Amino acid sequence: MTMSIADVIVGRTGHDGTVAASDGPRAGRPRRRTFTAEYKLRVLEEYENAESARERAALLRREGIYSSSISEWRRARDAAAREAIPESKPGRPARDAAETENERLRRENEKLAKELARTKAALEVVGKAHALLELLSESADSEKKPRK
């Protein structure tokens, strides 16, 4: 809020804490205008449908607004329209839940297949080692038997 010298002087003179009272030095100043959304859309439509620059200028004079207001209102309208329309996200479209679950199960299946292959190979090695040890133990037993 910007204060003028008159506001400071009025504030020091003992008013009830408000610097710019309704009966103060700024009471006669015009207030800022506000426009409803319906009014803005109506004026924008009329402005855009005008056939010539003269008609557009006449509309601005009649309504008492500047062309910058039209630009701002148009920008706000277009931004609101963009927000209302959901934009597609860049990149690949998202997978559905079934496809995601299938991919997870496929990876798990591959992992378990590799683990099973390793386990089978390890069992085969252990089986061969067991057979070899049995052969060694049988041959050792036969050598230790006393001769008669």
Side-chain angles (χ1 to χ4, degrees):
M1 178 170 137
T2 306
M3 293 178 33
S4 67
I5 298 293
D7 292 331
V8 174
I9 293 170
V10 170
R12 286 185 185 167
T13 59
H15 284 291
D16 59 354
T18 58
V19 177
S22 61
D23 60 342
R26 292 186 165 193
R29 285 187 74 174
R31 301 199 66 172
R32 172 171 252 171
R33 292 190 300 169
T34 57
F35 303 103
T36 63
E38 293 82 21
Y39 173 81
K40 291 177 183 180
L41 288 174
R42 183 181 59 79
V43 171
L44 267 174
E45 183 179 339
E46 198 174 333
Y47 185 84
E48 290 172 348
N49 290 334
E51 294 181 7
S52 68
R54 280 188 169 176
E55 288 181 18
R56 289 190 289 272
L59 172 69
L60 293 176
R61 281 191 304 275
R62 184 183 76 221
E63 298 296 330
I65 56 177
Y66 295 102
S67 61
S68 61
S69 298
I70 295 289
S71 300
E72 288 176 29
W73 296 350
R74 186 180 293 140
R75 199 172 308 124
R77 179 195 60 192
D78 294 346
R82 279 192 304 271
E83 289 176 6
I85 301 171
E87 293 184 23
S88 61
K89 295 180 180 176
R92 288 185 188 161
R95 296 181 183 178
D96 62 339
E99 191 175 334
T100 305
E101 181 67 12
N102 284 342
E103 184 62 31
R104 184 189 67 78
L105 291 172
R106 195 173 296 116
R107 284 192 307 265
E108 184 179 354
N109 191 9
E110 288 173 2
K111 176 183 154 197
L112 291 173
K114 286 178 184 177
E115 187 176 331
L116 179 63
R118 276 195 307 267
T119 303
K120 281 184 177 180
L123 279 174
E124 188 177 328
V125 168
V126 168
K128 288 181 179 181
H130 180 68
L132 180 64
L133 287 175
E134 274 188 8
L135 280 175
L136 289 176
S137 105
E138 286 176 5
S139 67
D141 286 343
S142 63
E143 288 178 8
K144 290 186 178 181
K145 286 188 181 176
R147 293 184 188 171
K148 294 186 184 178

